[in-house]
Amino acid sequence: MTAPASPGVFSRPYRARTLAVSSTFVLVAFAGLALSTVMPIAVQDLDGLGLYSLAFGGFLTTGIVGTVLAGGWSDRRGPAPALCAGLAFFSGGALVSGFAESIVPFLLGRYVQGLGGGAVTVALYVVVGRAYPSALRPRMFSLITACWIVPSMVGPPIAGAVAQRLSWHWVFHGIAVLGLLSLALLAGPLGRLRPAGDEDGEKPGGLRAMPALAVALGAGLLQYAGSQSGLHRLVAVAAGLVLLVVWLRPLLPARTLRAGRGIPSLVLLRGVSAGVYFTVETYIPLMLVNERQWSPGAAGMSLTGAALTWFAASWLQGHPRLPWPRERVVLAGALIHAAGAAVTLSGALRAMPAVTVAVGLLVAGFGMGLLLPGVGVLTLEHSPVDEQGRNSASLQLSDSLSSVLLVGLCGALFNAAHVSAGQDAAAFAAVFGTALAVAAAAVPIARRIAVPHTEEKKNHATV
């Protein structure tokens, strides 16, 4: 007998869930690109340019808490409750920031929004792990990347136009409305996913709330120190480092900080690479607007181009007849990502045209399109089913924490070298140079992501 053709992600068994996951990622993509486009205008309007890094890093800091709690919650109750709660916080935070008339409530809204954003991302990863067989997961990650295409094309110009003709406040209000619409559409298609452990009555471990709060507080203190001057920032640095050293290790797989082979290196690679890309993406719009006098819409189009190259690479890695081992594709992505960071650094020089910075982001986006989906596929493939939420949370935690720390470090460097708008070439060179150094360090980590044979055999036996 001839075996039936393998169903696709839009075949009848998966169609409703695929549409639900896709629509949520479209919202996440549109929100990220639109808010990045108007952030320079918002912080300047609120007289908070010195706290620019906190507008992004604070989002990631509270996202650490949402990430860890949603990972445990998804393993215990299924991903639907964590996803719905995350969308509610995401929309509520956008409303708070949208109504803000000073920098403090604006940052508070971003922190609430980050709590929800971390939960949404982890819950969606668990949906991919629970609702799709391993053969369809690379295609789902390609589809997830495709969800950034339309938002990358329309998000920055729409956000820029709304900010110029009305106000940046209305961009945040629109994101809140879209989040509430997604919340209303998701409950049905995802509610039928069962928690791990239902078959034998066992439940996975606890939610690890205390370590998550301690790590988030430690990251927040380090970021706060990066935006301040004076001796009191040394106290914040010391306290933040103590909290991270004591509480971080229980939240990550063993040997992660030593780049142990297999899942530990996958988690570390995700964090290092995402931290570099997020930092570069954060400062490129600010550089193009303040240093090169581009309009917010034009500066935001650099993010559009990077999203397109990211999708192209992601489609390539998700091809069912990929001729190379996935580990080798991830390594190639790390090398290309580092090359993109080098081009971006060169664009900070006054002698180079401003478009060089955007070209660097295009190259880096292609590298990330090879790297990040591959890391996600390999992590789910080598995780026992009742640890998919925990390991997905570890990926996102590493992503968020690395981004917070690197954005905070680069924020401190930027503030130290900051002169005035239009005179900050050295400040941006310091930011992009630091990002390049970290991107280069990711390459040897990418060589250690292959799972040892004995561990792989154990995981398959557990599944």
Side-chain angles (χ1 to χ4, degrees):
M1 296 180 63
T2 302
S6 176
V9 294
F10 285 105
S11 60
R12 184 179 297 275
Y14 307 107
R15 184 181 302 132
R17 289 171 183 169
T18 297
L19 291 174
V21 170
S22 301
S23 65
T24 307
F25 270 109
V26 167
L27 165 67
V28 171
F30 183 84
L33 292 164
L35 297 183
S36 293
T37 299
V38 302
M39 202 67 69
I41 301 174
V43 295
Q44 290 188 73
D45 183 48
L46 298 174
D47 195 25
L49 185 59
L51 300 176
Y52 181 78
S53 64
L54 291 180
F56 288 95
F59 178 94
L60 296 175
T61 300
T62 55
I64 291 171
V65 180
T67 291
V68 175
L69 297 184
W73 196 1
S74 296
D75 282 339
R76 293 170 61 87
R77 304 296 182 188
L83 183 56
C84 292
L87 282 171
F89 276 95
F90 187 83
S91 297
L95 281 176
V96 173
S97 292
F99 282 113
E101 296 294 338
S102 64
I103 192 64
V104 173
F106 177 82
L107 292 177
L108 176 62
R110 289 290 289 167
Y111 298 163
V112 175
Q113 197 177 17
L115 185 66
V120 167
T121 304
V122 169
L124 289 174
Y125 264 67
V126 176
V127 170
V128 174
R130 292 284 170 80
Y132 299 89
S134 58
L136 290 183
R137 289 172 191 161
R139 300 184 210 178
M140 272 304 299
F141 279 107
S142 295
L143 177 62
I144 288 169
T145 304
C147 292
W148 287 74
I149 298 301
V150 173
S152 71
M153 297 174 69
V154 304
I158 289 177
V162 170
Q164 289 177 328
R165 298 181 183 181
L166 297 174
S167 169
W168 60 266
H169 296 272
W170 286 101
V171 178
F172 281 85
H173 295 159
I175 295 300
V177 172
L178 291 176
L180 294 174
L181 289 175
S182 295
L183 178 61
L185 295 173
L186 278 172
L190 300 184
R192 293 184 294 273
L193 287 178
R194 301 174 66 187
D198 273 2
E199 293 81 358
D200 55 11
E202 297 179 0
K203 295 288 184 184
L207 296 179
R208 303 176 292 165
M210 184 59 194
L213 291 170
V215 167
L217 178 59
L221 286 172
L222 291 176
Q223 190 174 44
Y224 169 80
S227 64
Q228 301 296 310
S229 59
L231 293 178
H232 66 282
R233 68 177 178 177
L234 298 179
V235 177
V237 168
L241 288 175
V242 168
L243 288 170
L244 290 181
V245 169
V246 173
W247 292 104
L248 178 59
R249 294 182 68 180
L251 298 177
L252 297 174
R255 300 178 293 111
T256 295
L257 300 181
R258 292 181 291 168
R261 291 194 176 275
I263 288 181
S265 283
L266 286 166
V267 171
L268 184 60
L269 178 63
R270 165 68 181 263
V272 171
S273 301
V276 170
Y277 188 85
F278 185 82
T279 300
V280 171
E281 186 184 53
T282 296
Y283 278 91
I284 280 180
L286 184 65
M287 176 185 173
L288 293 176
V289 171
N290 282 11
E291 197 72 15
R292 302 299 183 99
Q293 289 75 52
W294 285 25
S295 69
M301 290 305 293
S302 63
L303 309 181
T304 299
L308 293 174
T309 57
W310 189 316
F311 167 69
S314 180
W315 178 87
L316 178 63
Q317 69 80 36
H319 197 279
R321 296 183 181 179
L322 189 71
W324 307 287
R326 193 161 300 280
E327 290 82 359
R328 187 176 299 177
V329 174
V330 171
L331 175 60
L335 290 166
I336 296 171
H337 182 221
V343 175
T344 300
L345 173 60
S346 70
L349 303 176
R350 293 187 183 276
M352 300 294 291
V355 73
T356 306
V357 175
V359 171
L361 192 61
L362 295 180
V363 176
F366 190 88
M368 291 294 282
L370 295 177
L371 189 153
L372 249 65
V375 167
V377 169
L378 290 171
T379 301
L380 290 174
E381 179 179 336
H382 299 305
S383 297
V385 67
D386 60 350
E387 293 182 9
Q388 288 177 341
R390 183 186 182 98
N391 287 340
S392 295
S394 294
L395 284 180
Q396 188 62 26
L397 170 63
S398 180
D399 182 322
S400 298
L401 183 59
S402 296
S403 298
V404 167
L405 296 179
L406 192 54
V407 167
L409 173 60
C410 289
L413 294 174
F414 181 86
N415 289 337
H418 172 60
V419 179
S420 63
Q423 303 295 322
D424 282 336
F428 286 108
V431 169
F432 297 144
T434 302
L436 172 59
V438 179
V443 175
I445 299 173
R447 297 180 180 275
R448 298 178 58 82
I449 62 174
V451 174
H453 178 71
T454 54
E455 181 179 340
E456 182 177 10
K457 185 175 181 180
K458 176 183 177 181
N459 286 345
H460 284 299
T462 304
V463 175

